[in-house]
Amino acid sequence: MVMTTNTTTAKKSASVTATPNPAATAVPRLDFAKSARNAFRALIGFDAAAREGIDPALVELIQIRASHLNHCAYCLHMHTNDARKAGESEDRLHMIPVWREARHFFTAREQAALALTEAVTLVADGGVPDAVYAEAATHFDDTELAHVIALILTINTWNRIALATAKQAGTDNR
């Protein structure tokens, strides 16, 4: 017995089940740094000012968590690599998305910053709860807290720029 395959049916069934890869079909978009130079420079300045006085490891935790929440692969790739270069452990990097279930990996100060990062990043879902803000305020003085909030704002802006301009993970030139 000879079996034949209906190639039309096979092709049609493969196309129905195939998941398109948006990165493979993405149309190149504008280069934000070149097209909005002054805005880009201002954001770099804001980002640098936000980081002042914050432990670099905490900076990366905040940036990684916001990038997870915003589904920004470009920034997630960049900041996990930066965290590794700064000595962050793989265990902690893997636990950031589930930090509430893995609290023993993070200090109380880091947990407060992660909770605040989530609340500010997802602000449209109900604002920043008083309890989250109060907990952060117990771990950071007013200046530090203002810088943490500023950092959360900058990473959210960077995430939105990367997503709006279809930046591809692994293509940063730093």
Side-chain angles (χ1 to χ4, degrees):
M1 177 171 171
V2 176
M3 302 213 39
T4 60
T5 303
N6 182 336
T7 55
T8 305
T9 304
K11 285 180 185 176
K12 187 175 184 179
S13 128
S15 68
V16 170
T17 59
T19 304
N21 178 352
T25 59
V27 175
R29 296 186 182 172
L30 67 87
D31 181 334
F32 186 84
K34 288 181 183 173
S35 300
R37 266 194 177 92
N38 289 340
F40 186 77
R41 286 185 196 140
L43 186 53
I44 287 175
F46 182 39
D47 187 88
R51 293 167 184 259
E52 289 177 9
I54 302 177
D55 174 39
L58 184 59
V59 168
E60 295 305 332
L61 290 178
I62 290 167
Q63 293 180 331
I64 291 166
R65 186 62 187 132
S67 297
H68 279 135
L69 294 169
N70 289 321
H71 305 277
C72 184
Y74 179 83
C75 294
L76 185 58
H77 181 268
M78 179 189 308
H79 293 296
T80 54
N81 281 338
D82 288 349
R84 283 183 191 98
K85 289 175 190 170
E88 188 60 76
S89 75
E90 288 297 317
D91 280 346
R92 281 176 35 107
L93 289 175
H94 292 297
M95 293 298 113
I96 295 169
V98 293
W99 66 270
R100 281 185 174 82
E101 291 79 29
R103 290 181 184 267
H104 62 285
F105 282 92
F106 304 98
T107 67
R109 181 177 167 100
E110 291 169 336
Q111 291 174 44
L114 289 167
L116 186 60
T117 299
E118 291 176 357
V120 173
T121 299
L122 303 172
V123 71
D125 291 348
V128 177
D130 289 339
V132 170
Y133 185 88
E135 181 64 20
T138 67
H139 295 282
F140 300 96
D141 66 31
D142 286 351
T143 300
E144 292 171 324
L145 186 55
H147 282 264
V148 167
I149 291 169
L151 181 64
I152 296 166
L153 299 176
T154 61
I155 189 56
N156 275 279
T157 302
W158 287 124
N159 289 164
R160 283 153 176 76
I161 290 168
L163 291 165
T165 60
K167 299 288 279 183
Q168 289 187 331
T171 63
D172 58 295
N173 296 328
R174 300 177 315 128

